Amino acid sequence: MSVLEEVLAANEAYAAGFGDRGGLALPPARGFAILTCMDARLDPAGYAGLSEGDAHVIRNAGGRASDDAIRSLVISYKLLGTKEWFVVHHTDCGMEFFTNDVIAGLLDSSLETAALGPDGFTDVGAGPGSDAGHDIDWLTIADQSGAVVDDVSRIRAHPLVPKSIPVYGYLYDVKTGRLVEVPEATEAGRAD
Ligand code: ZN
């Protein structure tokens, strides 16, 4: 079966057991939002105990507080009433394995998937590439806990984010499944 066929078959089974979930309200019932990484090993519904309709989950590479993540968080509060936010990064995040210069350099030579070896990423695909990667801030991570502090602080300081919302900072441990608090981040995200 192709990936497409697998997904459609899985959806068929999911929809068959959908039950009364078609009646869920639009605003998240439990009133909170999680900003987290797109890493395939992270299952926010599993690690945070979510069911459909419970919470907003905003995902991107690294779980970074990008302009677009903040756009979603502001909508989450202003229009849909969430009252507590979590920033959840994780151990062994791929965003620690390269820099802006590295990914832009890889894209310069080829758009195909690079290989990850002991010395980092190298290009194995054919060209041409594009220099457009130099115009993007890829929001890579040099310091795991520090990045959580930075993102919580950036959200806290944003003029469209009310001081009443606590923003908690955590690292998810991919080896144990545990959420480990980054106390400095939670402190930075304290509500007033
Ligand atoms: Zn990650």
Side-chain angles (χ1 to χ4, degrees), residues 129-170:
S130 164
D131 63 6
H134 293 274
D135 301 331
I136 293 179
D137 183 349
W138 297 90
L139 303 176
T140 59
I141 293 175
D143 168 19
Q144 231 166 51
S145 299
V148 180
V149 175
D150 287 350
D151 284 352
V152 168
S153 301
R154 181 159 199 259
I155 293 165
R156 174 83 296 149
H158 197 280
L160 297 178
V161 172
K163 305 295 177 220
S164 58
I165 300 180
V167 187
Y168 313 119
Y170 279 81

Side-chain angles (χ1 to χ4, degrees), residues 8-85:
L8 295 178
N11 179 252
E12 200 54 50
Y14 178 75
F18 202 56
D20 58 7
R21 283 173 283 183
L24 287 169
L26 193 164
R30 292 172 60 199
F32 69 97
I34 298 175
L35 170 61
T36 197
C37 185
M38 69 184 191
D39 190 297
R41 295 167 293 181
L42 273 58
D43 172 16
Y47 76 56
L50 308 179
S51 297
E52 291 93 332
D54 275 355
H56 286 145
V57 178
I58 300 149
R59 301 187 73 161
N60 63 34
R64 302 309 311 267
S66 61
D67 290 348
D68 192 66
I70 290 176
R71 175 186 70 88
S72 297
L73 286 168
V74 170
I75 290 168
S76 175
Y77 168 77
K78 180 69 180 176
L79 302 182
L80 296 165
T82 59
K83 292 183 168 47
E84 297 174 74
W85 296 347

